[in-house]
Amino acid sequence: VKVFATILAGASALNATNTPTCSVNGAAGGQVVNLSDGKYDRCISLITPSSAKGPMPVLFWFHGSGGNAAHCGNQRDLVQLSEQHGFALICGEATQDVFGHGGQWNIPEKITDQTGTPCGSSDSVEVGYMKAGFGAARNHLPKQMSSLE
């Protein structure tokens, strides 16, 4: 019975769906961008400061375990620094309730000299997410500000 329950739990994780919860909470210059990591529907919260007049740096903010990007605009210190110093703020969001409770980043747990650096699409959905996130940011930043390569 335990083996059967373990198989069912594993199967349900494989069939899990993700419900993105990104938000900018009314932050000026903010927008939610929906995208896919190749397996799950995902999102980023993008806040572009009005003070930026040309190409700008981009700061990616990743929430902690169990969190989400629903409160991106509530990161008032980061939003204020973004405005003061002219950088775009992108809040990434882990899959929600797919790999555990709440937002969990699917990052390989063991990275050693023997395992190497597992950064391929087959290693984690986060590789596809980061590629899609950079592409979405490049496409959604005002053209004169798009310096992402």
Side-chain angles (χ1 to χ4, degrees), residues 93-143:
E93 180 170 89
T95 54
Q96 300 295 308
D97 299 317
V98 173
F99 299 105
H101 179 69
Q104 299 292 323
W105 296 102
N106 181 21
I107 299 171
E109 294 177 19
K110 294 183 181 178
I111 300 173
T112 67
D113 290 341
Q114 288 75 33
T115 63
T117 306
C119 293
S121 296
S122 62
D123 297 312
S124 170
V125 296
E126 305 310 348
V127 175
Y129 176 69
M130 290 304 299
K131 288 178 181 178
F134 275 114
R138 188 180 308 110
N139 292 333
H140 286 83
L141 286 171
K143 294 298 179 203

Side-chain angles (χ1 to χ4, degrees), residues 71-86:
H71 306 289
C72 184
N74 290 344
Q75 304 297 323
R76 296 290 175 215
D77 291 342
L78 282 175
V79 172
Q80 184 178 20
L81 286 171
S82 169
E83 187 66 41
Q84 287 175 347
H85 299 285

